[in-house]
Amino acid sequence: MAKNKVCQSCGAVIDRKNSILGTEADGSRSQLYCDHCYKDGKFLHPNLTLEEVKKHYVEKFVELKVPRWVAKLMVRSVDKLERWKKK
């Protein structure tokens, strides 16, 4: 199982079978990122900013009928994920 329980870019839950894990350049499964964010050792959207990712996921949750205020609460900790931590 992946070391992290959520993707360290978007926060997607990584299941026990690791079916959504992204891939490293050598084809092995990433232990940090999902396949929606990471493939072949690279981010699929390398220029995405933290604010853009938060806005994107709020809109996705709203499409799924989650109230906007709840969606905003759900994405507020994205900046604590490995990809977005201030170094």
Side-chain angles (χ1 to χ4, degrees):
M1 185 161 160
K3 293 176 186 172
N4 296 290
K5 294 180 175 142
V6 297
C7 171
Q8 293 297 297
S9 178
C10 71
V13 175
I14 296 174
D15 67 7
R16 290 182 186 204
K17 297 176 186 172
N18 297 327
S19 60
I20 69 163
L21 286 175
T23 55
E24 298 295 348
D26 65 3
S28 64
R29 293 287 187 174
S30 170
Q31 295 300 301
L32 293 175
Y33 305 111
C34 75
D35 60 357
H36 298 286
C37 296
Y38 196 74
K39 183 177 179 181
D40 299 327
K42 299 176 185 170
F43 288 109
L44 298 177
H45 304 285
N47 298 322
L48 195 65
T49 67
L50 176 60
E51 290 310 311
E52 289 169 335
V53 79
K54 285 182 176 183
K55 182 178 177 182
H56 172 76
Y57 283 105
V58 165
E59 295 307 319
K60 287 294 179 189
F61 287 130
V62 169
E63 286 175 17
L64 295 170
K65 308 293 187 222
V66 174
R68 186 171 297 278
W69 71 271
V70 173
K72 286 181 178 182
L73 287 175
M74 293 169 72
V75 301
R76 68 180 188 183
S77 63
V78 170
D79 58 340
K80 294 186 179 28
L81 299 173
E82 195 62 38
R83 181 177 181 186
W84 308 108
K85 284 182 182 176
K86 301 275 187 214
K87 305 216 174 175

